Amino acid sequence: MNTTFSIKQPELVSPLPNSELQLRLLEETYCSHGDTVHYAHQPSFFETCEGSYLYDSKGTPFLDLQMWYSAVNFGYRNPRLNAAAHRQLDTLPQVASQYLHREKVELAAMIAQDAQRKFGTKGRVHFNVGGSQAIEDSLKLVRNYSGGKSLMFAFEGGYHGRTLGASAITSSYRYRRRYGHFGERAQFIEFPYHFRGPKGMSKEEYGHQCVQKFARLFESEYNGVWDPKAGKAEFAAFYVEPIQGTGGYVIPPMNFFKELKQVLDQHGILLVVDEIQMGVYRTGKMWSIEHFGVNPDILVFGKAITNGLNPLSGVWAKEEIIHPGIFPPGSTHSTFASNPMGTAVALETMKMLEEEDFGAAIVEKGAYFLDGLKELQKRHRIIGDVDGLGLALRVEICAEDGFTPDKATMDWLCDEGMKGDLSVGTNMYGLVLDVGGYHKNVITLAPNLLISREEIDLALTLLDQLFTRASKR
């Protein structure tokens, strides 16, 4: 059966629209809807930003509690980091990647030296422009080092990006469904998500149980991943987010990664740590894996290293995995990798982090915020669980039983916060929230790391208003 579709040609609109209505018409007509913008029926327009706030055309402040998915860790229009971008723009804003510039070299050295102090081994840094691209580079490193092995372990609830290679190690089928069969899709392992785990177990007991389930794969050749005669695993690496990001800021027990790493080391499997969302002090440490007492073989970073300015991402890997003799020039390439603008801002970020005790301040603010969320939990039955590490915080929205996931209410809360009609005194505010979780029912809170106590109090007041409105729907 042949079907003919007729496409109505849009009327031409002024190339310099000056109204939001005109902009929406152009967007509806000419912009792809394949990105995340159109999760909302009518996405919001913003005009400017400062610190913890976005502002619409009316000047309404929207307190942002997700900061571009934890990319703007140091506040919108951070004066120091913006100044670094301006300086680089006026000196060396562009240079082809076959040439060197000071900012790339100094930044790589700072990251590698910091990692050597923390992880006890020399390594090197390889740059790219986005988190997914850095994951792709890490996959090349793993495949190359392991003699071409292409199978990986990853976690249920894990998210590593939406390029083809990154989608293959991301647990959600939704990101793969339209693009054919992924023959080398990762084997996904249970993550110790305690709130939805077996009842009657402590966090630590559940973490131990998850490791034991994983270790069982290596007990016999007939479990499918291990050849005991050769002492070889079919899988090359295990990709982990120490704290699951898109999965809902799920924080594992402190014993979990130590026990997991023992199993990996026994069977020659690399540990690749994805710090794209949780890195750069979101949890109170430069890298979130530092909380758990294990050393990665490869670490991937991005997002907040430039505070959301000129995109930059990268991979740190142990010397034996990345040295030029094993990973020579041309092994992977991106035109804009190690770009001067990105490396200059990231270098300034690293210098800033060395000058102050960011960790202590973030731990203190995070504890204060978490205490406030626990008080809200006592007053609002729709809050099933709250948890946090540093300023990575979660609020799980549930039905009246306090456990059944309630995605509909979660979506409503996000839309209601974007109306910009929450009032405190004589002032009106909006509230920017992000949705995460296995059931898309979790508020994942990633506020500005420089947030003040007064702004935390405001956030709790605005959340309280939203939860009260939800109960009266």
Side-chain angles (χ1 to χ4, degrees):
M1 178 179 175
N2 292 324
T3 304
T4 302
F5 294 94
S6 62
I7 300 176
K8 182 180 178 181
Q9 294 298 320
E11 295 180 10
L12 292 178
V13 183
S14 166
L16 295 173
N18 56 18
S19 75
E20 190 172 298
L21 183 62
Q22 288 176 298
L23 286 168
R24 288 194 183 280
L25 177 59
L26 286 174
E27 198 271 344
E28 178 65 26
T29 305
Y30 295 112
C31 290
S32 165
H33 288 196
D35 56 22
T36 58
V37 170
H38 283 274
Y39 284 166
H41 174 66
Q42 191 173 57
S44 298
F45 271 99
F46 288 109
E47 296 285 334
T48 187
C49 57
E50 187 80 28
S52 295
Y53 298 91
L54 295 165
Y55 296 86
D56 64 14
S57 59
K58 299 174 184 176
T60 304
F62 285 71
L63 179 60
D64 192 340
L65 297 182
Q66 57 109 335
M67 299 305 287
W68 202 0
Y69 323 121
S70 193
V72 191
N73 280 9
F74 307 102
Y76 289 113
R77 294 170 62 188
N78 180 287
R80 178 169 177 172
L81 300 181
N82 278 22
H86 283 289
R87 286 197 302 273
Q88 194 67 28
L89 186 64
D90 290 335
T91 53
L92 184 70
Q94 297 117 329
V95 67
S97 55
Q98 70 260 43
Y99 307 116
L100 287 171
H101 56 282
R102 178 183 61 80
E103 294 78 15
K104 170 189 175 176
V105 176
E106 291 187 0
L107 176 62
M110 286 190 79
I111 293 171
Q113 289 167 4
D114 177 72
Q116 186 166 349
R117 286 191 297 270
K118 291 170 177 174
F119 306 137
T121 184
K122 183 188 181 300
R124 296 174 188 252
V125 175
H126 178 102
F127 293 112
N128 211 311
V129 293
S132 294
Q133 290 84 354
I135 289 290
E136 297 287 338
D137 288 345
S138 75
L139 285 165
K140 285 187 175 181
L141 280 164
V142 168
R143 287 184 176 212
N144 181 63
Y145 181 72
S146 65
K149 289 182 183 179
S150 58
L151 294 180
M152 312 292 160
F153 291 112
F155 280 122
E156 295 173 0
Y159 178 88
H160 302 286
R162 301 192 203 184
T163 51
L164 288 175
S167 294
I169 57 173
T170 293
S171 65
S172 176
Y173 172 53
R174 177 167 67 91
Y175 302 132
R176 295 187 298 275
R177 182 178 63 83
R178 298 177 182 274
Y179 309 114
H181 181 60
F182 283 63
E184 293 171 334
R185 182 168 64 90
Q187 181 165 334
F188 297 106
I189 304 301
E190 183 179 357
F191 191 82
Y193 179 6
H194 186 246
F195 179 64
R196 299 202 172 276
K199 300 308 172 188
M201 281 188 178
S202 69
K203 248 191 171 185
E204 290 70 25
E205 288 169 338
Y206 182 31
H208 177 72
Q209 182 192 65
C210 287
V211 172
Q212 292 306 111
K213 285 182 181 178
F214 174 64
R216 183 178 175 274
L217 295 176
F218 303 92
E219 287 180 353
S220 161
E221 66 180 276
Y222 296 102
N223 290 349
V225 304
W226 178 247
D227 180 352
K229 291 184 178 180
K232 300 288 185 181
E234 189 174 12
F235 287 71
F238 201 137
Y239 275 75
V240 311
E241 296 169 283
I243 295 170
Q244 294 198 322
T246 300
Y249 286 22
V250 182
I251 301 166
M254 289 297 166
N255 63 317
F256 177 66
F257 281 112
K258 278 187 178 179
E259 294 186 22
L260 180 68
K261 186 67 162 59
Q262 290 174 357
V263 177
L264 298 180
D265 288 346
Q266 288 167 8
H267 299 95
I269 298 169
L270 299 175
L271 177 66
V272 184
V273 173
D274 180 341
E275 292 279 0
I276 294 165
Q277 189 165 162
M278 290 296 157
V280 197
Y281 279 92
R282 171 54 54 196
T283 65
K285 292 185 181 291
M286 181 65 186
W287 310 120
S288 61
I289 194 64
E290 294 177 54
H291 292 281
F292 300 98
V294 299
N295 299 327
D297 298 296
I298 297 173
L299 184 146
V300 186
F301 60 88
K303 285 188 187 293
I305 195 75
T306 64
N307 201 42
L309 294 172
N310 218 64
L312 188 79
S313 63
V315 180
W316 172 88
K318 289 182 175 179
E319 178 74 4
E320 61 264 31
I321 298 171
I322 200 173
H323 71 84
I326 192 171
F327 202 68
S331 296
T332 185
H333 174 73
S334 172
T335 299
F336 299 101
S338 68
N339 63 86
M341 293 294 293
T343 52
V345 177
L347 182 60
E348 193 68 23
T349 300
M350 293 294 291
K351 290 177 179 178
M352 181 179 72
L353 294 172
E354 282 192 342
E355 293 170 6
E356 299 179 38
D357 190 355
F358 272 85
I362 290 163
V363 168
E364 186 273 330
K365 290 176 187 177
Y368 182 74
F369 207 149
L370 184 58
D371 285 344
L373 294 174
K374 288 177 179 177
E375 288 301 315
L376 291 181
Q377 184 181 23
K378 294 175 184 177
R379 300 203 301 270
H380 298 282
R381 296 179 66 181
I382 64 170
I383 301 177
D385 182 54
V386 298
D387 202 358
L389 186 61
L391 280 168
L393 303 153
R394 72 188 312 268
V395 179
E396 183 147 354
I397 304 302
C398 298
E400 286 289 311
D401 62 6
F403 185 76
T404 303
D406 190 348
K407 180 182 183 300
T409 296
M410 178 70 249
D411 291 341
W412 182 89
L413 289 166
C414 285
D415 291 342
E416 193 73 8
M418 295 306 294
K419 288 181 178 179
D421 65 349
L422 298 166
S423 62
V424 178
T426 59
N427 298 319
M428 304 297 290
Y429 293 92
L431 192 60
V432 181
L433 302 175
D434 196 30
V435 179
Y438 291 33
H439 305 281
K440 299 304 175 191
N441 68 314
V442 177
I443 303 173
T444 52
L445 298 167
N448 176 8
L449 298 184
L450 303 179
I451 192 170
S452 66
R453 277 215 175 198
E454 291 74 20
E455 287 172 332
I456 294 174
D457 290 338
L458 175 62
L460 293 167
T461 298
L462 298 178
L463 286 167
D464 192 24
Q465 286 188 31
L466 278 185
F467 297 145
T468 299
R469 287 187 187 185
S471 67
K472 296 178 179 178
R473 281 194 303 156

